[in-house]
Amino acid sequence: MKIGVFDSGYGGLTILEEIRERLPQYDYIYLGDNARTPYGTRSFEVVYRYTWQCVKKLFEMDCQLIILACNTASAKALRSIQQNELIQNYPNRRVLGVIRPTAESIDELTKTRIVGLVATDGTVQSNSYTLEVGKLFPDIEVVNQACPMWVPLIENNEHLSDGADFFVKKYLDQLLAKNGAIDTLILGCTHYPLLLQKIKHYLPEHINIVTQGTIVADSLADYLRRHPETEQLCSKGGNIQFLTTESSEKFQSSASIFLKKAIKADHISLD
Ligand code: DGL
């Protein structure tokens, strides 16, 4: 059985990289739903339907455990998948998200107890970070900022262009105008580490930036340690297979820019 890593597009590769560095022994399948990205502007219902289709496909391909390496899918689909689909149809499989481990990590970072969140429209509208952080640390305030242009810039490989600066600065300025006492910024979208250099450039230096790769990798390692019954089912050949709902050539050329190495991908149809 393998470990599945799912994202609407290329963003989950930033999580996969860290997971594979931390846990190189397992076999992984990465699935990017590039044909239907971005998810961030889509309704609850649509994100749920798309995510479940992809998760089901990964189950059919023998994934025991799937990480939704996508905040939008974690915000809009994870709970229903866990509470309905898994219980009824796949009681022995597991699906984990990225929001809970990220929320758990911020307590140690913030002194002002005011934390910024940049994310897709969908994640912001779901209010998931405010709720999750509120449950764990009621004294921490989360200031939300949707950044709807960032994922399209990244998916179109324009994130290093001069044009990207305009939208990076625009959303960070809007966030800081809401509350200037933020001392920690959560990059609540797995695509955003690709904009990290520009984000650092436009953000005051004293603000901690939280990326999710290491956090999710540590949390998965911890999960596997606490659940030997799942861990024992995971095969350990150190392999990775890349799948995309778009053309494999397109995925290969963009993914290799993000991963800084050539990869081979296969097209997959969800029908
Ligand atoms: N990478 C996804 C996330 O973490 C979202 C990208 C999208 O809008 O599809 O939210």
Side-chain angles (χ1 to χ4, degrees):
M1 303 291 279
K2 294 154 198 137
I3 297 177
V5 177
F6 165 73
D7 182 43
S8 61
Y10 300 111
L13 295 172
T14 63
I15 304 282
L16 177 74
E17 277 291 272
E18 297 285 348
I19 290 179
R20 287 192 73 212
E21 204 174 306
R22 181 87 166 71
L23 301 164
Q25 67 272 38
Y26 298 108
D27 292 322
Y28 297 92
I29 302 182
Y30 182 89
L31 171 56
D33 192 6
N34 301 76
R36 301 188 293 193
T37 199
Y39 279 16
T41 45
R42 297 190 190 273
S43 70
F44 212 98
E45 210 182 6
V46 170
V47 172
Y48 176 69
R49 184 153 47 84
Y50 286 1
T51 305
W52 175 234
Q53 271 181 330
C54 293
V55 166
K56 217 162 48 177
K57 186 55 98 182
L58 286 168
F59 281 161
E60 284 162 14
M61 300 187 74
D62 288 340
C63 286
Q64 170 62 26
L65 170 68
I66 295 170
I67 309 296
L68 299 186
C70 174
N71 289 267
T72 312
S74 299
K76 293 186 160 187
L78 178 64
R79 184 152 306 176
S80 307
I81 289 177
Q82 286 173 334
Q83 291 178 352
N84 304 325
E85 310 292 355
L86 295 193
I87 290 175
Q88 281 164 28
N89 303 312
Y90 295 91
N92 298 321
R93 310 282 182 105
R94 295 291 173 262
V95 181
L96 305 174
V98 291
I99 295 179
R100 174 84 187 194
T102 308
E104 283 169 355
S105 75
I106 61 166
D107 183 41
E108 290 169 4
L109 295 171
T110 174
K111 290 197 171 53
T112 62
R113 314 307 274 172
I114 301 172
V115 167
L117 170 77
V118 282
T120 65
D121 253 330
T123 301
V124 167
Q125 276 167 30
S126 73
N127 219 19
S128 298
Y129 273 94
T130 304
L131 296 171
E132 208 60 63
V133 170
K135 265 188 262 165
L136 295 166
F137 315 111
D139 63 318
I140 298 181
E141 180 189 342
V142 180
V143 183
N144 286 261
Q145 176 65 45
C147 307
M149 284 302 291
W150 288 6
V151 169
L153 283 168
I154 294 162
E155 287 286 320
N156 289 292
N157 200 17
E158 288 291 342
H159 53 288
L160 300 177
S161 70
D162 292 345
D165 284 66
F166 174 82
F167 287 106
V168 171
K169 182 171 180 331
K170 175 178 172 170
Y171 298 139
L172 292 178
D173 285 351
Q174 285 177 357
L175 172 75
L176 293 169
K178 288 178 192 164
N179 197 326
I182 290 163
D183 68 350
T184 302
L185 178 68
I186 302 171
L187 302 192
C189 171
T190 54
H191 283 67
Y192 295 176
L194 291 155
L195 285 169
L196 190 59
Q197 288 319 315
K198 289 193 193 291
I199 293 171
K200 276 188 181 156
H201 183 74
Y202 290 107
L203 204 64
E205 242 174 72
H206 69 277
I207 299 184
N208 302 309
I209 300 178
V210 179
T211 55
Q212 300 177 294
T214 323
I215 294 168
V216 175
D218 286 348
S219 146
L220 175 60
D222 184 52
Y223 182 90
L224 292 170
R225 200 169 40 242
R226 288 183 292 107
H227 294 86
E229 71 293 351
T230 298
E231 199 281 333
Q232 278 153 20
L233 291 173
C234 296
S235 56
K236 296 169 186 78
N239 298 310
I240 171 86
Q241 188 180 2
F242 292 95
L243 301 174
T244 175
T245 54
E246 246 291 351
S247 91
S248 53
E249 290 78 19
K250 198 168 166 208
F251 185 89
Q252 278 167 193
S253 79
S254 293
S256 52
I257 295 171
F258 297 156
L259 293 171
K260 297 186 184 72
K261 61 180 176 229
I263 59 141
K264 191 191 158 323
D266 294 303
H267 168 78
I268 192 165
S269 154
L270 296 172
D271 311 326

